[in-house]
Amino acid sequence: MTRRERHIYAAGNTARGYKTFFESVLEGMERIYYLAGVVEGITSPLIETIGTEMGRKTDRVEWIHSPFENGQYDGVIFPEWKVAIMDSSYPRMTRPFAPGVTEIHVNLQTSLNVDQLSPYSAQISGWFEGIERKSQEAYEAFGEALRIHDEWEAPYIENLDRDKANLVTDELLGLLFSDEPLSKPANVRRMYLGAATPLGPVDHIMKLTDHLDKRYYIKGRPGSGKSTMLKKLVNEAVKQGLDVEVYHCGLDPHSLDMVILPEKSVALFDSTAPHEYFPSKPSDEVVDMYERAITPGTDEKYEEELLDIKVRYTQKIKEATACLAVAKELRDQLNNVYVEATDQQRLKAVVQAIIGRLSRM
């Protein structure tokens, strides 16, 4: 089997606040190591070390990226062993399954020199308050952006021919689900297509889909039925007993941006900004909802109004991203103090102990 790494987001800075799909992503894990008691600046490098080391011994590794710090990780999953290593620092929270059996909490506070941290007590409290405040400001700005996005959708919804949109969906249903239903329950796994980060929107669409036999690039405009179509495809996949990976929108978790059917080796995804891509393989296919289901000339008819909406939407996204960038700077200061007060040898011992356990599995 060819070794394959996957890169996903299971948490997001959204218009509805900080929302996660950790429970769905970790479903089926038989052992989850939670690195607890410190900050992400300590946990992420440990996750990367364990993932890199153990990744040499398995065909599949799944990296869960942090939406707060570009290039850092919330966790790593080894599907073959049904094992995950996760960061449990603020604000990540998950519902326990079986504490002490499924979840093993690794307390990293023993590696901290508390005396070295004590002089920074007031600053640490201030950093956490600042992170919370700027994060909330970001979520409020994203919320405003989503409300403006609703304005953006309105002219297209008004000019959407639902019969034509349904016809596109029916064509895809016919192509994808022509076989007899499987005699097993579908496994539905939910995560994010990408994330709003301090550096702007980031996604891993191409990495997630480049090995698949078929990719449908869904083009269109806001309100042209892309998410609705994907939801119908998910419902049919579940009825058919097919496993399905559901990728939610990083701005609005209630909306869908991509669906992957692993057993069919097929992906269908919203290929519009900020995750606009174009076919690069002979088997790639474009499905244009604007051309297929929107009244011709709608863009031109509402050109002035749409330009104003786009400008206001872009401004709110920039405001939110700027808030995330300030929160990141505060996180960096917090992380630096904790890293300085950490006994690196003790951390290495913890990492080696986890690697040793995994190696014996």
Side-chain angles (χ1 to χ4, degrees), residues 142-200:
F142 281 133
E144 285 295 323
L146 183 58
R147 283 185 280 277
I148 295 169
H149 198 272
D150 290 341
E151 293 181 42
W152 201 342
E153 291 181 348
Y156 296 108
I157 292 174
E158 188 179 327
N159 287 276
L160 175 67
D161 187 322
R162 285 170 174 77
D163 290 336
K164 290 181 179 179
N166 289 335
L167 180 61
V168 177
T169 303
D170 291 341
E171 288 175 5
L172 287 170
L173 288 171
L175 287 169
L176 296 172
F177 307 110
S178 57
D179 301 330
E180 287 293 314
L182 301 177
S183 56
K184 69 174 183 65
N187 178 38
V188 180
R189 195 164 184 248
R190 297 182 182 275
M191 60 209 91
Y192 284 102
L193 177 77
T197 79
L199 295 180

Side-chain angles (χ1 to χ4, degrees), residues 29 45-46 108 134 155 189 226 230 242 291 312 315:
M29 292 295 109
L46 302 188
L108 299 179
K134 297 311 291 187
R189 195 164 184 248
K226 301 185 296 296
L230 290 175
L242 286 166
E291 287 186 359
R312 288 188 288 119
Q315 180 58 37

Side-chain angles (χ1 to χ4, degrees), residues 283-345:
S283 59
D284 290 344
E285 187 172 333
V286 171
V287 178
D288 194 324
M289 295 299 288
Y290 181 80
E291 287 186 359
R292 296 287 304 271
I294 299 291
T295 304
T298 298
D299 280 347
E300 292 77 13
K301 181 179 178 181
Y302 296 94
E303 183 178 7
E304 200 170 306
E305 178 184 336
L306 291 168
L307 179 59
D308 172 67
I309 291 170
K310 185 177 180 180
V311 168
R312 288 188 288 119
Y313 174 81
T314 301
Q315 180 58 37
K316 284 298 173 183
I317 294 294
K318 285 181 178 177
E319 286 179 20
T321 302
C323 289
L324 292 180
V326 174
K328 177 203 175 298
E329 290 174 5
L330 296 171
R331 276 192 170 88
D332 288 344
Q333 294 173 47
L334 178 70
N335 289 335
N336 289 340
V337 167
Y338 272 81
V339 170
E340 283 293 320
T342 300
D343 185 330
Q344 295 298 325
Q345 292 306 312

Side-chain angles (χ1 to χ4, degrees), residues 256-274:
L256 303 188
D257 274 351
M258 180 163 75
V259 171
I260 292 180
L261 305 171
E263 292 149 315
K264 294 279 187 179
S265 193
V266 170
L268 308 96
F269 57 90
D270 182 332
S271 184
T272 58

Side-chain angles (χ1 to χ4, degrees), residues 49-65:
T49 298
I50 296 168
T52 301
E53 179 68 25
M54 297 310 298
R56 300 189 182 103
K57 304 177 183 181
T58 179
D59 291 318
R60 293 172 61 205
V61 180
E62 191 168 60
W63 296 96
I64 305 175
H65 288 253

